[in-house]
Amino acid sequence: MRGPSTSYDLKRAIGHSVGYFWHFPHAQLYSEPKRLEQLGLLRVSEEGTGRRRKTFTITDEGLRVLRAWLAEPTHQHFELRDIAEIKLFFNELADPEDIARLAHDQVKQHEERIAEYEGMKQRFGSNPEIASRMVTLELGLEMEYAALRFWRSLVEQTEHERSGTS
């Protein structure tokens, strides 16, 4: 979508876009373009001097394959790999104070991410060039608000348990 790019360009762009919801090793941004080039899905041009950076451009065949993949139905449920959630799963082995602290920390983290997403929405929401991508931001906001409601509820629950009220 951004035109010809080096692996470093992709790394920077991902840090401000899909990196918010799709984590993968940055090394993959250096190895995967080579594989896609071998399949004829990307074209590479290399600087003749200096750092000899490689710039990748999607080919017509690459665009065709990408569009075919986008058109395929998705039957997998979304993946969530959340360290706080796995810690919460084992809460009966933890000190109640640790769970209370986890809940408080999660409230703070989700509030910060919501503020970041709301700022992005304000800065970019009226830009017609990226309007179709803003729907992903809306999904991210909804998920953050849902998580925030959950963790706030857990904070209240742990405070009631510590005070002996229900």
Side-chain angles (χ1 to χ4, degrees):
M1 293 184 330
R2 288 177 168 77
S5 302
T6 65
S7 292
Y8 180 74
D9 295 334
L10 293 172
K11 177 182 168 187
R12 289 189 51 179
I14 285 168
H16 296 96
S17 60
V18 298
Y20 285 103
F21 60 87
W22 188 265
H23 176 76
F24 52 90
H26 286 135
Q28 193 172 0
L29 293 172
Y30 293 88
S31 61
E32 193 64 12
K34 293 174 190 170
R35 188 181 77 78
L36 295 174
E37 178 196 4
Q38 291 169 346
L39 294 171
L41 306 177
L42 292 180
R43 183 176 50 255
V44 66
S45 61
E46 186 174 347
E47 292 177 341
T49 60
R51 296 176 61 191
R52 301 183 62 87
R53 286 181 292 218
K54 293 181 179 181
T55 301
F56 299 94
T57 306
I58 194 165
T59 62
D60 291 341
E61 177 65 7
L63 190 56
R64 186 193 68 71
V65 168
L66 175 59
R67 287 181 172 148
W69 176 76
L70 290 169
E72 291 175 2
T74 302
H75 300 290
Q76 292 175 297
H77 190 269
F78 81 97
E79 287 184 34
L80 176 65
R81 290 176 51 99
D82 180 12
I83 293 173
E85 192 171 344
I86 197 73
K87 286 183 174 187
L88 190 59
F89 180 83
F90 291 105
N91 75 83
E92 60 201 85
L93 302 174
D95 185 291
E97 292 299 315
D98 293 333
I99 300 304
R101 190 171 33 262
L102 173 68
H104 280 280
D105 290 347
Q106 288 301 301
V107 165
K108 182 175 185 271
Q109 287 181 35
H110 289 286
E111 287 173 341
E112 289 171 356
R113 183 57 65 99
I114 287 168
E116 184 176 359
Y117 283 2
E118 291 287 2
M120 292 167 72
K121 185 176 174 181
Q122 189 169 1
R123 283 191 313 277
F124 305 115
S126 61
N127 184 341
E129 293 178 14
I130 62 170
S132 62
R133 280 180 258 155
M134 295 305 285
V135 69
T136 310
L137 180 61
E138 290 296 328
L139 176 59
L141 271 166
E142 290 295 327
M143 293 173 74
E144 288 295 330
Y145 278 118
L148 181 59
R149 283 190 302 273
F150 170 81
W151 289 107
R152 281 182 174 163
S153 172
L154 188 58
V155 165
E156 288 179 24
Q157 179 183 335
T158 58
E159 287 173 355
H160 285 289
E161 289 171 0
R162 283 190 289 186
S163 68
T165 61
S166 53

